[in-house]
Amino acid sequence: MKKVFIKSYGCQMNVYDAKRMADVLRPEGYVEVETADNADLVVLNTCHIREKAAEKVYSELGRLRELKGERASRGQDTSIVVAGCVAQAEGAEITRRAPVVDLVVGPQSYHHLPGLIARSRSGEKVVETEFPADDKFDHLPAAPRAVTRARGVSAFLTVQEGCDKFCTFCVVPYTRGAEMSRPVVKILAEAEQLADAGVRELTLIGQNVNAYHGEGPDGRTWTLGLLLERLAQIPGVARLRYTTSHPRDMDASLIAAHRDLPALMPYLHLPVQSGSDRILAAMNRQHDSDEYRRIIDRVRAARPDIALSSDFIVGFPGETDADFEDTMRLVRDIGFASAYSFKYSPRPGTPAADRDDQLPEAVKSERLAVLQAELDDSRRAFNRATVGLVTDILVERQGRHPGQMAGKSPYLQAVQFEADGVAIGDTITVEITETGPNSLFGRPVGALSTPTRERMGAL
Ligand code: SAM
Ligand code: SF4
């Protein structure tokens, strides 16, 4: 048996891809290990979205150079692979900057990994960053049932990849390529295999997941709303989620799915990036702040208790105090249950990076701190509002203390509770009793006495 260590950075897409890379390497005799120390093969599954994320790879490669040297002194070979979006964006530059790297492979070529590794083993520095004509999903093997089961009751499933939107700050259209949707039958087959192995919650993922427009079994183009409706019929699938969405693609069928499908969890990650119309236009987001508010109104009308989440960028080139204040107003008006916020990071090759009105780092840091304090208040307010709520929890793992179990609420809150005779994969009814800094606490109760939707809708 050979050992492979895969380290993933960045988004859920990379988490999913890491599992599929492990699946393609397993038939080649590789078992996954938890650290690089004794690995014959180390894969860094990288992220290029912000400069910091990309730079992390080079510091990790510095550490791996030492490790490779130590192992070589014991007569052991170590192959170093850089995969993911840094691989796609920087290609051969990586092997120039870090000669320790044996293979650079972009996200569309993971199905060719065994052949590429064999080539690199014969001494060649291999760089594979083409967008191949064949579809990797047709060639990536499924994990054996026991492996899927061991990975947990909640799984990601890629339904869409790439992006055609070209926001002026973003590298994704260049690293992940044009938007493509997997055919419905392929997604159903993967979902059924996951459910059969014990997965209870499926999160459909894509860079623009709600732009999904895959070929249906009836020959027509299916929307994400239609796909969710079909997936909800698979026995064993108790919960459905999807991420990440773009406001432009929040269509009527998806909003209706939030109203009609009990399995579709009341949680929506819908990045707005900024509350300023001027900045939204400069970002090429293709909507203004009013349109975003109207979408939120429609979603809330369909599902009053929905927990809302977003991404924000502060310090985009030319952002004024007034623009930033517009973002703060939007945050206060909407009341997000959670959010991710970032300082604008100029990315080579994107239009915004070439602008000459870049903001000083200090201004970005100051605005980020102000925004994060407000988002944190908003998150805490949402969590406090759920205290006393009786809701269902999908049990995902043992808690930190003996007898404690942990799972997620429908609103994607981590909840810990004491319970006997509860198994991972069960959905149990819990009353939320307390909020902590990182998770909530609850106690199991007999039945769902207060219907979640009504209680939260009234808050
Ligand atoms: N497709 C999603 C959308 O349109 O909202 C976002 C996908 S992107 C992988 C995740 C998040 O990274 C973005 O929503 C944005 O907030 C952030 N991001 C992307 N490029 C960035 C940059 N150059 N600087 C800072 N944050 C960035
Ligand atoms: Fe990037 Fe999302 Fe914009 Fe596409 S829609 S360019 S992934 S931020």
Side-chain angles (χ1 to χ4, degrees), residues 9-21:
Y9 302 81
C11 66
Q12 294 96 337
M13 210 82 181
N14 270 7
V15 176
Y16 175 88
D17 286 350
K19 296 198 164 96
R20 302 310 298 263
M21 281 192 255

Side-chain angles (χ1 to χ4, degrees), residues 220-235:
R220 289 185 306 148
T221 300
W222 281 31
T223 60
L224 187 67
L226 215 51
L227 177 66
L228 285 162
E229 195 183 316
R230 178 63 187 83
L231 287 167
Q233 294 164 14
I234 296 177

Side-chain angles (χ1 to χ4, degrees), residues 126-246:
V126 183
V127 177
E128 178 64 60
T129 53
E130 295 299 306
F131 286 94
D134 53 342
D135 180 356
K136 67 176 171 187
F137 291 107
D138 287 341
H139 303 277
L140 290 167
R145 214 162 168 269
V147 172
T148 303
R149 189 181 285 273
R151 285 175 178 169
V153 294
S154 186
F156 291 133
L157 201 175
T158 295
V159 300
Q160 180 280 329
E161 264 202 293
C163 180
D164 296 338
K165 293 214 164 50
F166 292 92
C167 298
T168 56
F169 53 81
C170 185
V171 289
V172 167
Y174 312 99
T175 57
R176 290 279 175 165
E179 201 184 286
M180 82 90 192
S181 298
R182 293 177 69 191
V184 172
V185 282
K186 304 258 174 74
I187 296 167
L188 289 180
E190 192 170 330
E192 278 161 6
Q193 174 257 325
L194 290 167
D196 178 59
V199 168
R200 293 287 160 262
E201 177 177 87
L202 289 177
T203 301
L204 310 186
I205 57 172
Q207 271 92 16
N208 257 291
V209 73
N210 62 341
Y212 179 82
H213 57 278
E215 188 196 339
D218 51 5
R220 289 185 306 148
T221 300
W222 281 31
T223 60
L224 187 67
L226 215 51
L227 177 66
L228 285 162
E229 195 183 316
R230 178 63 187 83
L231 287 167
Q233 294 164 14
I234 296 177
V237 174
R239 290 182 164 196
L240 292 167
R241 301 181 185 276
Y242 59 94
T243 197
T244 294
S245 297
H246 190 287

Side-chain angles (χ1 to χ4, degrees), residues 49-50 169-170 172 207-208 244-246 271 273 285 311-313 342-345 347:
I49 201 85
R50 284 168 290 276
F169 53 81
C170 185
V172 167
Q207 271 92 16
N208 257 291
T244 294
S245 297
H246 190 287
Q273 315 295 357
R285 288 294 287 180
D311 291 344
F312 293 91
I313 295 178
F342 314 100
K343 285 192 269 190
Y344 168 69
S345 169
R347 305 309 293 127

